[in-house]
Amino acid sequence: MTWLHNWVGIFIGTVSFAVFWMGTLTVFSYEIDKWMLPETRIELADAPDPDLIFDSIVSSVPNDRVMDVSFRLPTSREPVVNGLLFAERAGFKRVRIDPRTGEQLPERGSLAGTLFIYPMHVTLYLPGYWGWWSVLFASFSMLLLLISGVIIHRKIFTDFFTFRPKRKLRRSSLDLHNVTGAIFLPFHFLIIFSGLVVWAGFYASFPWTLIDQVAKTEVSTTYDLADAYSYYPSEPEPAGTTAEMLPLSFAIARAEAIWTDRYNQTAKADFIAVHNVGDANARIDVHRFFPKNRSEAFRDFIRIDGISGDVVEDREASAVQAVRSWLAGFHHVQFGFWVIRWLYFVGGLAGCVMIGSGFIFWTASRRRKADERDPLKVSFVTAVSIGSTTGLIIATGIFFVINRLLPTEFTFLELSRPAIEMRVFFAVWAITFLHSAVRQNNAWRDQALAIAVISALAIILNWVTTGDHVLVSISEGLWAVAGMDAMLALTALLSANIALQLNSTTDRRSGKERTVSSDSLIGG
Amino acid sequence: MADLLLLLVAGAFTFIGGSQIALSQSQYSRRVKDEAFAMRSSTLLRWCGVALLCLGFGICIARNGFSFGFILWLLLLVSAFFAIVLVLSFYPKTLKWLLAEWRQSISR
């Protein structure tokens, strides 16, 4: 069991850390959006008019026939409306609207948190479906690792609260691995399991998508299987004749009244989708994806006839779908209460620490023996460990820095600004692996120092390019920006402290080496 | 605001309860106070800790219902336990008051 735990951990650690790290950042994806897209730092509209938003989205393609429109109603976390339309000639198009005025905002200059960090958490940006499968495999492996970890932990109850930071690195890293693994076990188990359930609709079609991938045919996702625990509204066919549509506000009010009556508490819609715009068979889908202070997701849905205003479909979730909805709500963390998001953030970081300390323990406990017997194996795992952990954090930091450095309309070799940001992220991540391979254990110190410098630079660049330093952000109520800067500052301080401690350890070791014999930095 | 206050109370109960469970084990109580701990006292301390954890759970459920209160309590529990680990590792003496009060009441 120990062998299984060690080798599955080493094999899957890189993917697991990436999924955990990106998932942890996704908890604050809208706040990251506000930091990376300064034009979205606007006040929430007092009473956003859905019809104004709808008209603005439709008018963004003036000489085209819009067929479908969808958008999420503005919230304090996402005050700008990110709409999506499908038009006859333009095809799919994203449109950003200021809900206070209906004014169209310039095209998004960065994928930021919601369109880069979140998809990275789900698919790792690997081509085709490889990313989905990798995350699926890593998730199952993590469940296996959590269970095997409990079995091989000999003193799980007696050492439940034991962390000895002043002992040798091998001991303290194992303590940290055990403590984060044991204490956060229920949270980690539930978050991984719920993640699997959220995407079960896709994973259920695994064999078919695999065949499609290999044979390079069309995707044949089998919704029949997925429908057992999820729900996919059907696409209404257009009638082909034009008709006057009723206001969206009427449809929304109608759906909200039905939910309020059903649940005996005020219910607010949060997502609108309009099908067959201006057609006699127009349909308005009103969703309540994330009810405030309830662990539910994608449960409430009412379809209203866009011409007559009649309720065409009112979804009542089955028992299985209700359980799935609870788990999806748990995983998506869209509750109104901000304290809970911070607790999730701590839980996610604990997962990262658990994986990182596992890596450190593995290399630390083998380095001395491996120096004599199999140096290549440990050197390889060391490089992978450092590149996967601190390397990914550096790449994320650079992603923020490059976002503040590039001008808004910047393009290079026909690459758009968001595409450049993404490529820089992956290029820097690849470089950190090379650096780790060359510098081995010294790379921990180098990369910790790099994280400190990059984090500090990101704060300064945000100040210089937007004028919003922490004090301004707080005075103007931009808590998302202030929080982001505060977290970057904390990261800079912690990383600088770690780099200094590693530096002094290396100095002591160098002195020892001169007088005694060679000893490893962390093998101790 | 009421939500935040109740969360703080539930968090405090969870932290104190978890600390009592930890301190009922001799290897942790020795870090806080350099004295041996009687078996009977440690058992009582442990049950007192469990009771406080249940109280924190009760507050979360009563305020938010089971489906949401459970998530809230779970997050409070793991965060409080991790905070206890950090306190026991870096500033164990800060938990001395918990043990001192308890030992006085036991000795009486």
Side-chain angles (χ1 to χ4, degrees), chain A residues 246-294:
Chain A
L246 58 86
L248 290 192
S249 47
F250 172 82
I252 293 170
R254 178 138 205 212
E256 286 178 349
I258 292 170
W259 291 325
T260 302
D261 193 39
R262 183 175 299 157
Y263 298 117
N264 281 328
Q265 56 176 283
T266 312
K268 289 278 171 199
D270 54 18
F271 187 86
I272 312 298
V274 185
H275 304 282
N276 305 329
V277 175
D279 185 90
N281 200 26
R283 294 286 181 269
I284 301 169
D285 292 353
V286 187
H287 295 260
R288 192 165 74 128
F289 279 165
F290 303 110
K292 196 182 174 192
N293 288 4
R294 279 174 67 186

Side-chain angles (χ1 to χ4, degrees), chain A residues 226-240:
Chain A
D227 272 346
Y229 36 76
S230 191
Y231 185 78
Y232 298 90
S234 58
E235 284 289 322
E237 288 295 321

Side-chain angles (χ1 to χ4, degrees), chain A residues 338-351:
Chain A
W338 57 270
V339 179
I340 299 179
R341 276 197 290 281
W342 280 104
L343 294 175
Y344 265 77
F345 188 72
V346 171
L349 284 182

Side-chain angles (χ1 to χ4, degrees), chain A residues 157-163 165 179-180 183-184 186-187 190 293-295 326 330 335 337 339-340 343-344, chain B residues 3-4 7 18 22 25 27-28 31 67-68 70-72 74-76 78-79 81-82 84-85 88-90:
Chain A
F157 290 110
T158 49
D159 282 352
F160 195 76
F161 295 98
T162 303
F163 173 46
V179 155
T180 46
I183 287 180
F184 288 91
F187 175 73
L190 207 48
N293 288 4
R294 279 174 67 186
S295 177
W326 185 85
F330 174 82
F335 320 118
F337 201 12
V339 179
I340 299 179
L343 294 175
Y344 265 77
Chain B
D3 276 339
L4 188 62
L7 189 74
Q25 288 179 273
Q27 75 262 36
Y28 302 119
R31 287 193 211 176
S67 72
F68 191 67
F70 172 74
I71 295 174
L72 204 58
L74 179 73
L75 289 161
L76 280 181
V78 294
S79 305
F81 277 17
F82 192 61
I84 293 163
V85 169
L88 281 172
S89 306
F90 296 102

Side-chain angles (χ1 to χ4, degrees), chain A residues 169 183 188 247 287 435 469 523:
Chain A
L169 189 63
I183 287 180
H188 288 156
H287 295 260
H435 172 260
H469 59 74

Side-chain angles (χ1 to χ4, degrees), chain B residues 25-43:
Chain B
Q25 288 179 273
S26 58
Q27 75 262 36
Y28 302 119
S29 63
R30 270 194 217 105
R31 287 193 211 176
V32 177
K33 204 168 186 180
D34 305 324
E35 286 173 41
F37 209 57
M39 179 68 87
R40 185 171 160 267
S41 312
S42 72
T43 309

Side-chain angles (χ1 to χ4, degrees), chain A residues 341-422:
Chain A
R341 276 197 290 281
W342 280 104
L343 294 175
Y344 265 77
F345 188 72
V346 171
L349 284 182
C352 296
V353 170
M354 176 180 70
I355 298 165
S357 55
F359 270 139
I360 294 173
F361 173 71
W362 192 92
T363 48
S365 57
R366 279 158 183 81
R367 177 153 291 281
R368 191 185 284 173
K369 285 180 200 165
D371 278 345
E372 297 155 10
R373 285 191 298 183
D374 193 4
L376 196 65
K377 187 168 76 180
V378 175
S379 299
F380 177 75
V381 176
T382 303
V384 169
S385 312
I386 302 171
S388 313
T389 51
T390 49
L392 182 60
I393 300 170
I394 288 176
T396 311
I398 288 289
F399 182 63
F400 297 145
V401 167
I402 203 80
N403 169 268
R404 293 292 78 233
L405 276 177
L406 295 178
T408 319
E409 303 293 329
F410 187 81
T411 53
F412 180 69
L413 295 174
E414 296 183 1
L415 285 175
S416 64
R417 193 176 184 271
I420 295 167
E421 282 182 6
M422 252 174 73

